[in-house]
Amino acid sequence: MSKSVLITGAAGFLGSHLCDRFHKEGFKVLAMDNLITGNLKNIEHLFGKENFEFYHHDVSKYVHVSGELDYILHFASPASPIDYLKIPIQTLKVGSLGTHNLLGLAKAKNARMLIASTSEVYGDPMVHPQTEEYYGNVNPVGPRGVYDEAKRFQEAMTMAYHTYHGLETRIVRIFNTYGPRMRLNDGRVLPAFIGQALRGEDLTVFGDGSQTRSFCYVDDLIEGIYRLLFSDYAYPVNIGNPDEITISQFAEEIIKLTGTNQKVVYKPLPKDDPMQRQPNTDKAREILGWEAKVSRAEGLKITYEYFKSLSKDELFAKDHNNFEGYIKK
């Protein structure tokens, strides 16, 4: 009998890659997404396959799954700064109510649950690189607070179910990840730069470009998550690539990669945008035997090929999704 896994946010960037991995490993995959930011195109290749089911559902509402369930991976959440500003309440609800609903399901089914947390729990960090023991520097009432605090609450709620109910739980703190199926216009720096290069636009750097990011290729991240789920470790684990680069240097890399000759234009830095992002991945190495393997040059090449394959409509689309139906006037 195949083990079964419920993956929420299954039609999103990371969720869809998790569906692929678990399906390939022989699991019965129950994919769930309300499609507010996800795209069915990301998982349509799995439709009609044995051991794959899709449920169009918002996990902020009561979640029911019939039959046995062994694992839950909670990856449902808007995950880009544009989304937080457009749908702030939905972002908070999926991290709080959604997490509560799924923890209740995990308890009822005696399933192990892994939640997708984020490096955003560290806010604009005073400690560099960031270790799991660092509590963060977050502005709860700033524009990013709806995401940061939803994820911090999600961690606290998950740990409470672990300590109070003895539920098997795992927490992954995900640092910047990239690869095929990223939304081109989600507001994050990597798809933004590649999209601008492909459209022949200048590359926009916010701030003076001295802020840093560390980019992890999606296959490396999925491997880390897979190992964490089957480990015995219940506390948060950073998964990311510690290879740090400034945004200005990164813009130059993209120009070189795409063979375009755009200039870089500088605009004011958005409020609470973190100046440094670099994971300390010692725990992942010690506990999971995991480290990032794919170099940025290699990963960017694959990602660029993916973005090049998009249609003209997709390339020039100004908005990924219309959220009107989710916003009360």
Side-chain angles (χ1 to χ4, degrees), residues 104-214:
L105 178 66
K107 182 171 171 277
K109 300 284 188 184
N110 197 23
R112 179 179 297 184
M113 177 156 150
L114 179 146
I115 61 158
S117 189
T118 169
S119 59
E120 291 293 326
V121 299
Y122 301 122
D124 189 5
M126 305 289 200
V127 167
H128 193 74
Q130 292 83 59
T131 66
E132 290 86 350
E133 287 70 33
Y134 176 52
Y135 296 155
N137 173 37
V138 172
N139 176 2
V141 295
R144 302 172 81 99
V146 295
Y147 182 68
D148 302 359
E149 296 296 0
K151 292 296 189 181
R152 286 162 73 95
F153 175 86
Q154 185 182 42
E155 287 195 12
M157 172 73 97
T158 300
M159 194 46 73
Y161 264 73
H162 173 73
T163 53
Y164 187 76
H165 290 301
L167 192 69
E168 284 274 323
T169 58
R170 305 290 179 265
I171 300 171
V172 59
R173 285 184 183 156
I174 298 169
F175 281 70
N176 291 65
T177 305
Y178 69 98
R181 302 183 198 155
M182 276 194 104
R183 281 165 47 192
L184 190 59
N185 45 13
D186 76 355
R188 283 183 276 197
V189 65
L190 190 149
F193 279 176
I194 292 183
Q196 286 172 330
L198 286 170
R199 291 189 296 266
E201 300 164 4
D202 293 332
L203 268 58
T204 308
V205 170
F206 293 99
D208 62 6
S210 65
Q211 67 270 42
T212 69
R213 295 292 182 268
S214 311

Side-chain angles (χ1 to χ4, degrees), residues 89-100:
I89 294 160
Q90 286 73 16
T91 303
L92 283 159
K93 281 169 77 173
V94 75
S96 55
L97 301 177
T99 302
H100 189 212

Side-chain angles (χ1 to χ4, degrees), residues 174-323:
I174 298 169
F175 281 70
N176 291 65
T177 305
Y178 69 98
R181 302 183 198 155
M182 276 194 104
R183 281 165 47 192
L184 190 59
N185 45 13
D186 76 355
R188 283 183 276 197
V189 65
L190 190 149
F193 279 176
I194 292 183
Q196 286 172 330
L198 286 170
R199 291 189 296 266
E201 300 164 4
D202 293 332
L203 268 58
T204 308
V205 170
F206 293 99
D208 62 6
S210 65
Q211 67 270 42
T212 69
R213 295 292 182 268
S214 311
F215 298 102
C216 182
Y217 187 64
V218 65
D219 289 0
D220 280 338
L221 180 86
I222 298 301
E223 177 63 29
I225 291 166
Y226 192 82
R227 290 188 190 196
L228 177 60
L229 179 66
F230 298 110
S231 76
D232 294 324
Y233 193 73
Y235 288 90
V237 176
N238 289 339
I239 300 284
N241 190 327
D243 186 10
E244 189 183 23
I245 185 172
T246 70
I247 296 300
S248 283
Q249 291 168 326
F250 187 57
E252 295 306 324
E253 276 192 5
I254 296 295
I255 289 168
K256 201 172 154 191
L257 169 76
T258 57
T260 49
N261 56 359
Q262 274 82 344
K263 56 183 198 293
V264 177
V265 295
Y266 292 85
K267 290 191 174 174
L269 193 66
K271 187 170 166 52
D272 301 330
D273 198 53
M275 284 306 292
Q276 291 182 304
R277 268 285 179 268
Q278 184 191 24
N280 176 310
T281 54
D282 291 350
K283 263 197 176 54
R285 196 175 299 113
E286 289 158 20
I287 296 164
L288 312 176
W290 176 90
E291 57 187 341
K293 298 250 179 6
V294 181
S295 70
R296 199 168 54 247
E298 200 183 334
L300 279 176
K301 227 167 125 182
I302 302 165
T303 308
Y304 179 49
E305 288 306 316
Y306 166 76
F307 282 132
K308 273 204 306 195
S309 75
L310 296 179
S311 70
K312 231 180 172 60
D313 284 352
E314 289 170 308
L315 186 59
F316 285 90
K318 287 289 178 222
D319 203 4
H320 173 74
N321 259 342
N322 182 343
F323 299 130

